[in-house]
Amino acid sequence: MIRRTLAALALLLLWPTLAVAQDAAAPLPPLPRVVIETSAGRIVIEVNDRQAPITGGNFLKYVDERRFDGTSFYRAVRSAPDLGLVQGGTNNDPAKTLPPIAHEPTTVTGLSHVDGAVSMARYDAGTATGDFFVSIGPSPSYDAGHPYSIDEHGFAVFGMVVEGMDVVRGILVAPTSPTEGDGFMRGQMLEPRIDIITARRDTAPAT
């Protein structure tokens, strides 16, 4: 009887440890995905709101409030063949743009501007709102913390294109206006722009 009681007590003492171990082994839920239907084709973005909760959450808020509907991809920066970025979003439209968010540098999130990375466009750190860009080819100079970084803060990666990089690469080589755009952006503005028809969360399970 005493042995049985001691065994039961030992099991009770071990139960919290066993429960924690089971929780630790439980798989994390899949990251949310967003389907962007454009006039050039379909792009699917996996939003990493786990590592970049501020930036990823901001993007999802724009999606959930349908603020990207009727906007466009409007800029293509070609650094080399099959290397550069395409930029889209609200383009400072006051009817669609939410207040700026805090900056989440790659040194904090652990993310990087690899091929297909989705990141926030901005002026100064902490000014990002509803404009984003997709890296075509690796762009480590957009990360923070490197001697060769474009600036010390870098840009805030929050997602990855998981379907439709062929569409993104097609946007990169689409025609641009030789005169539209201010300063260094002259010659980078798409003409015509690539319409973002809708942006919705993907309700289908990830495969």
Side-chain angles (χ1 to χ4, degrees), residues 13-146:
L13 290 171
L14 283 172
W15 177 252
T17 304
L18 293 171
V20 169
Q22 287 177 347
D23 288 344
L28 293 170
L31 295 171
R33 291 186 172 191
V34 170
V35 178
I36 300 179
E37 298 289 354
T38 80
S39 54
R42 184 175 188 258
I43 301 167
V44 181
I45 296 172
E46 187 173 75
V47 179
N48 196 333
D49 59 348
R50 192 174 297 144
Q51 289 177 253
I54 296 171
T55 318
N58 176 71
F59 184 81
L60 292 172
K61 186 172 184 180
Y62 275 85
V63 170
D64 293 341
E65 295 183 5
R66 303 191 176 187
R67 291 176 180 269
F68 289 135
D69 293 10
T71 62
S72 65
F73 282 97
Y74 54 84
R75 184 181 177 211
V77 182
R78 301 162 193 156
S79 305
D82 207 31
L83 182 67
L85 65 85
V86 298
Q87 183 172 320
T90 60
N91 199 13
N92 298 317
D93 179 349
K96 290 182 174 290
T97 302
L98 295 168
I101 58 172
H103 183 57
E104 280 184 314
T106 54
T107 47
V108 171
T109 63
L111 303 174
S112 183
H113 288 85
V114 297
D115 183 41
V118 188
S119 189
M120 292 304 297
R122 63 167 177 81
Y123 293 104
D124 295 327
T127 63
T129 54
D131 292 271
F132 59 94
F133 65 88
V134 181
S135 292
I136 297 99
S139 304
S141 61
Y142 293 140
D143 292 348
H146 299 306

Side-chain angles (χ1 to χ4, degrees), residues 106 140-154:
T106 54
S141 61
Y142 293 140
D143 292 348
H146 299 306
Y148 50 81
S149 297
I150 289 175
D151 69 41
E152 61 179 330
H153 304 291

